[in-house]
Amino acid sequence: MSTDYAASRVSYEGAEFRLQRNDDRSQSLVITGAPESLTAAFSGRRDGDAFVAPATGENAAALRSVLPWLKPRRWGLETSAGTGDRLGLATPGHVQAFKDVAGVNPVFAQQSTREMGRTHRTPRAVLDDATWGAFQEGWTAGVGADADHQKTEESLSECAEAGFVFFTVDPGDEMDMSAHDDDEATVRAKAFALDLSSLDTSADDVVARYAGQRIDLESGPLLLDEESVVRAVAKAGPALVRGLELIRHLEGLGIEHELEFAIDETDKPTTLVEHVVVVKELQHNGVDLISFAPRWVGQFEKGVEYIGDRGALAKNFADHAEIARVLGPYKLSLHSGSDKFSIYPSFVEATRGVAHLKTAGTSWIEALRIVAAHDPALLREILALSLASFEENRHSYHLSCDTAKIRTDMPDDRVGELVTAFDSRQVMHVGYGAVLDAFGEQIKGLLIDHEGEYAALMKEHFLAHLTPFASR
């Protein structure tokens, strides 16, 4: 006995396509009215007048080749949002949310190499899961695919081969954070010691190019004084070198793509002068950015609301957005954007919708509400393992949770509170790698058995994210 997903039914060039759920929890693609020249792209079997194909990676690729709206595309300067999915099961709920908003374009396939490593997924698996999820819910308005936080040539090649078209190049590890606060003599020594020959320039040339310049912004002139330019070179110069190496590798692959340059995962905010120097040096080297992800003021921690002065952040948004309009235009990207509901309106206002919202782990942590509702004991085990592996899990994430405040003996009827409470939510948010290694099949089984409930939960959660970005 199988069950059809009604929303998946779609007709294209005389054939009808639909998805069905089988008794063993697997899914199958059913095609009717199609000639053999079309079904030859798929691996499956004839069943009467229908062609039935299992929902495999191979057949996801075939589906993308046949239904053009499922092939990843570039969104350019249009408002967009990425919905990272560590389980490969959240896309149907994401689609339901996007259907209810106007003017926000989806990037359903989005994952960093770091997250792929912890979840043991490949770029192709990420793209294939998003393809099946979008098809299941009948999404025909186009999709993006973001190879997030790319730091190596190898991962860029793997994502390009899989079919990603949006590449977030992240050389943030090379940023010299101490240069943000070093004394002037130290900063000058650092800056002028840098080898920028791969940028076809030198620190002297960069300083001469920008020191004393004035950028006329809507709110008034931004003066690039020499000390600020030198500090920007010392702080961001190494990242520019590494970033351009990654970009040149990507360009050499000869694929359709658009670029985001990300320096957000750092300890210090990106100054306005840094923004100017970084983007203009990339442009000086012929790089055309579609978006830029600075490190904003305040704290953008995983899975929780923004921590900091919202007025100062709104001003920070406005200043960087003015620069992006003058130097570009290009989008500004809000990373670690999950659950920052209080700041979305000011971000949209500042950028005038020339913006990208990037979420990653919120679909994972929200999935644990389904676990809490249907297997409270399993959620307590998930929390225990997340706590036991926390010191390892927390690396590369900004967190301020206090594990001593977490209650580990929550009764069944209150265990769901652990998903909401600040400290336990962050601990489980970053514990996904160890948890999926230990309990992945149990968790996925629960979500499949309660897929309608999970999709409804995702829809509600993402409507809160997307509605402020919707066109009015």
Side-chain angles (χ1 to χ4, degrees):
M1 188 71 177
S2 59
T3 304
D4 284 351
Y5 293 98
S8 69
R9 289 180 178 270
V10 64
S11 296
Y12 185 67
E13 295 190 345
E16 183 180 86
F17 301 77
R18 58 185 168 85
L19 191 69
Q20 68 181 24
R21 170 72 68 190
N22 305 315
D23 285 344
D24 62 358
R25 290 179 171 167
S26 67
Q27 294 177 318
S28 295
L29 168 68
V30 181
I31 308 172
T32 54
E36 287 190 11
S37 59
L38 186 151
T39 58
F42 297 89
S43 175
R45 59 181 174 80
R46 283 280 171 186
D47 185 3
D49 63 349
F51 184 87
V52 182
T56 62
E58 178 185 356
N59 285 330
L63 195 62
R64 289 192 292 272
S65 71
V66 171
L67 302 182
W69 55 83
L70 292 177
K71 181 182 178 181
R73 54 155 293 176
R74 296 174 293 177
W75 288 122
L77 295 179
E78 297 179 43
T79 307
S80 53
T83 57
D85 176 13
R86 294 169 180 169
L87 291 164
L89 298 171
T91 301
H94 296 159
V95 172
Q96 290 180 18
F98 275 92
K99 282 183 174 181
D100 279 6
V101 298
V104 187
N105 299 290
V107 181
F108 295 128
Q110 174 212 290
Q111 199 154 57
S112 66
T113 301
R114 173 182 63 207
E115 290 179 348
M116 291 183 205
R118 292 189 183 185
T119 57
H120 309 297
R121 301 175 81 199
T122 63
R124 261 297 301 275
V126 172
L127 183 57
D128 293 342
D129 287 340
T131 296
W132 288 119
F135 175 66
Q136 176 180 317
E137 289 297 322
W139 183 262
T140 60
V143 297
D146 178 11
D148 193 18
H149 286 290
Q150 293 297 296
K151 297 177 180 290
T152 70
E153 287 82 356
E154 179 183 13
S155 63
L156 281 169
S157 295
E158 291 173 353
C159 292
E161 184 178 357
F164 286 73
V165 295
F166 180 30
F167 292 84
T168 301
V169 171
D170 178 5
D173 293 344
E174 304 302 319
M175 294 284 286
D176 184 345
M177 285 297 102
S178 62
H180 188 90
D181 298 307
D182 280 337
D183 62 77
E184 185 176 354
T186 301
V187 166
R188 294 187 72 86
K190 285 182 172 182
F192 292 110
L194 290 174
D195 179 4
L196 303 182
S197 57
S198 62
L199 300 174
D200 195 26
T201 193
S202 67
D204 293 278
D205 288 342
V206 175
V207 173
R209 216 168 4 251
Y210 304 117
Q213 273 200 17
R214 185 179 82 170
I215 306 294
D216 290 322
L217 304 177
E218 300 152 26
S219 59
L222 172 64
L223 301 177
L224 278 61
D225 63 279
E226 182 176 339
E227 181 184 349
S228 296
V229 172
V230 172
R231 193 172 295 274
V233 172
K235 183 178 173 184
L240 273 168
V241 170
R242 179 59 181 143
L244 192 62
E245 289 174 352
L246 294 170
I247 291 168
R248 292 291 184 246
H249 177 79
L250 177 61
E251 291 172 342
L253 298 176
I255 62 160
E256 174 188 6
H257 68 274
E258 56 188 1
L259 276 170
E260 176 170 296
F261 197 83
I263 51 174
D264 63 295
E265 290 190 342
T266 57
D267 295 330
K268 302 289 184 179
T270 303
T271 69
L272 302 185
V273 174
E274 284 170 36
H275 182 159
V276 171
V277 170
V278 167
V279 170
K280 287 186 74 69
E281 277 305 292
L282 289 171
Q283 292 172 338
H284 184 72
N285 280 272
V287 176
D288 183 20
L289 292 182
I290 204 64
S291 58
F292 178 62
R295 167 65 160 87
W296 308 103
V297 298
Q299 297 301 316
F300 283 75
E301 298 192 1
K302 297 298 179 182
V304 298
E305 257 288 8
Y306 172 74
I307 302 171
D309 183 331
R310 294 176 189 170
L313 179 64
K315 177 67 164 58
N316 200 225
F317 284 157
D319 290 342
H320 282 286
E322 288 186 26
I323 292 172
R325 283 192 285 274
V326 169
L327 301 188
Y330 46 85
K331 292 194 279 195
L332 290 181
S333 192
L334 190 65
H335 286 210
S336 296
S338 302
D339 311 309
K340 308 296 185 293
F341 306 109
S342 67
I343 66 172
Y344 298 150
S346 61
F347 184 63
V348 174
E349 180 181 5
T351 60
R352 301 173 187 172
V354 185
H356 181 65
L357 172 67
K358 188 166 298 197
T359 74
T362 197
S363 297
W364 150 252
I365 191 65
E366 289 295 310
L368 298 186
R369 296 190 190 279
I370 305 299
V371 176
H374 298 283
D375 194 341
L378 177 57
L379 188 74
R380 283 191 291 269
E381 290 187 79
I382 289 170
L383 175 61
L385 179 55
S386 297
L387 283 166
S389 56
F390 179 64
E391 289 308 315
E392 180 180 356
N393 300 335
R394 71 181 303 165
H395 295 310
S396 72
Y397 292 113
H398 293 289
L399 305 167
S400 60
C401 51
D402 184 349
T403 58
K405 295 180 179 178
I406 299 174
R407 181 175 171 181
T408 58
D409 61 347
M410 197 73 81
D412 286 1
D413 61 346
R414 294 185 57 196
V415 73
E417 296 173 20
L418 295 167
V419 183
T420 302
F422 182 98
D423 300 290
S424 51
R425 183 177 177 85
Q426 285 203 325
V427 167
M428 292 191 293
H429 194 289
V430 300
Y432 62 93
V435 169
L436 289 176
D437 283 345
F439 307 115
E441 292 308 309
Q442 289 174 259
I443 294 169
K444 291 177 183 178
L446 273 172
L447 295 176
I448 291 171
D449 289 343
H450 303 279
E451 61 179 343
E453 184 180 350
Y454 183 40
L457 176 68
M458 285 293 93
K459 176 183 178 180
E460 180 181 6
H461 191 59
F462 272 85
L463 278 174
H465 286 78
L466 300 175
T467 300
F469 290 80
S471 58
R472 291 170 171 79

